[in-house]
Amino acid sequence: AQSVTQLGSHVSVSEGALVLLRCNYSSSVPPYLFWYVQYPNQGLQLLLKYTTGATLVKGINGFEAEFKKSETSFHLTKPSAHMSDAAEYFCAVKGYSTLTFGKGTMLLVSP
Amino acid sequence: EAQVTQNPRYLITVTGKKLTVTCSQNMNHEYMSWYRQDPGLGLRQIYYSMNVEVTDKGDVPEGYKVSRKEKRNFPLILESPSPNQTSLYFCASRGLRRDEQFFGPGTRLTVL
């Protein structure tokens, strides 16, 4: 079985500030980890994923995440927030076949 | 264009009136899945299918049915909808040996 915990249902940053969205997971098998983004009134789009190999993964729109096995974490970061980054972000873990999502973090970006 | 399509995109219905939400993918994916999204709860899996005629329950299957008679289609059936099934529904698919799921645009269902 697997589960995902996203810390903070809402995160507010100023434009140009660092973005940090936290994700911790549990998994009974080596995890595959994902971050998805959902813009208002749209479906989910894959930002990045970790399967095996390099623990620092880069995704689209300048986002990256680091897999830390010892901390069971997969936090999402972006050095400088842009207004267009305002959206809801979901962390997910894949077990044998199914994908389990966290409850989501809404990123608010102010000018 | 590779995509997952859902119909309808919006639906308002009444309690007890049977409905079907269709899902179709054109990527020859074996795996298909249905999720519901509710505020503060994230996405929860309803049912999934590993291939034709193979379906299994997800985390919240009560009140839903699915079928997988063709590889490309995976309809979600609500035999007797209730107001607690008001939600945003997403269909997704992926290849069996792939990791990334592709999501449809969503169906917003309101049950009065």
Side-chain angles (χ1 to χ4, degrees):
Chain A
Q2 60 260 16
S3 66
V4 175
T5 301
Q6 292 184 238
L7 297 176
S9 59
H10 291 79
V11 169
S12 295
V13 299
S14 300
E15 193 172 21
L18 171 72
V19 175
L20 171 61
L21 304 182
R22 300 178 187 274
C23 172
N24 289 90
Y25 70 91
S26 68
S27 178
S28 55
V29 299
Y32 287 7
L33 296 158
F34 305 82
W35 275 100
Y36 283 85
V37 60
Q38 185 179 31
Y39 298 103
N41 299 312
Q42 294 188 28
L44 277 79
Q45 179 182 3
L46 182 68
L47 266 183
L48 51 79
K49 64 180 180 181
Y50 167 78
T51 53
T52 57
T55 56
L56 181 63
V57 293
K58 296 184 185 299
I60 61 172
N61 301 337
F63 284 93
E64 62 182 38
E66 186 171 12
F67 169 61
K68 292 188 176 180
K69 185 178 179 181
S70 61
E71 299 177 8
T72 61
S73 68
F74 190 57
H75 302 330
L76 181 70
T77 60
K78 181 174 180 178
S80 177
H82 192 273
M83 296 295 290
S84 61
D85 294 327
E88 190 161 20
Y89 293 79
F90 293 93
C91 182
V93 61
K94 177 175 173 284
Y96 285 115
S97 59
T98 61
L99 197 61
T100 300
F101 286 86
K103 295 183 178 182
T105 298
M106 186 70 71
L107 177 64
L108 308 169
V109 183
S110 57
Chain B
E1 180 189 357
Q3 59 183 348
V4 179
T5 56
Q6 296 178 228
N7 282 292
R9 294 289 313 280
Y10 302 90
L11 179 61
I12 300 175
T13 189
V14 295
T15 298
K17 185 177 181 180
K18 180 180 179 180
L19 66 91
T20 299
V21 184
T22 65
C23 172
S24 184
Q25 50 92 6
N26 62 1
M27 295 169 279
N28 201 37
H29 286 165
E30 292 86 0
Y31 181 95
M32 297 185 74
S33 182
W34 276 104
Y35 297 87
R36 60 177 289 173
Q37 182 181 11
D38 301 290
L41 297 178
L43 280 83
R44 295 177 293 168
Q45 191 177 53
I46 303 171
Y47 269 95
Y48 65 96
S49 170
M50 301 288 280
N51 215 323
V52 176
E53 302 290 2
V54 180
T55 63
D56 210 344
K57 296 178 180 179
D59 298 319
V60 288
E62 293 76 21
Y64 304 94
K65 287 176 57 177
V66 293
S67 69
R68 187 90 182 273
K69 294 183 173 17
E70 303 168 283
K71 196 173 187 179
R72 63 184 292 124
N73 296 322
F74 191 45
L76 180 69
I77 303 156
L78 284 72
E79 295 267 1
S80 182
S82 62
N84 65 11
Q85 293 177 298
T86 293
S87 188
L88 179 59
Y89 291 87
F90 287 101
C91 181
S93 74
R94 66 171 170 83
L96 266 186
R97 294 182 180 81
R98 303 294 298 224
D99 308 311
E100 178 185 353
Q101 288 200 51
F102 293 84
F103 284 83
T107 295
R108 187 167 293 281
L109 172 65
T110 302
V111 183
L112 302 175

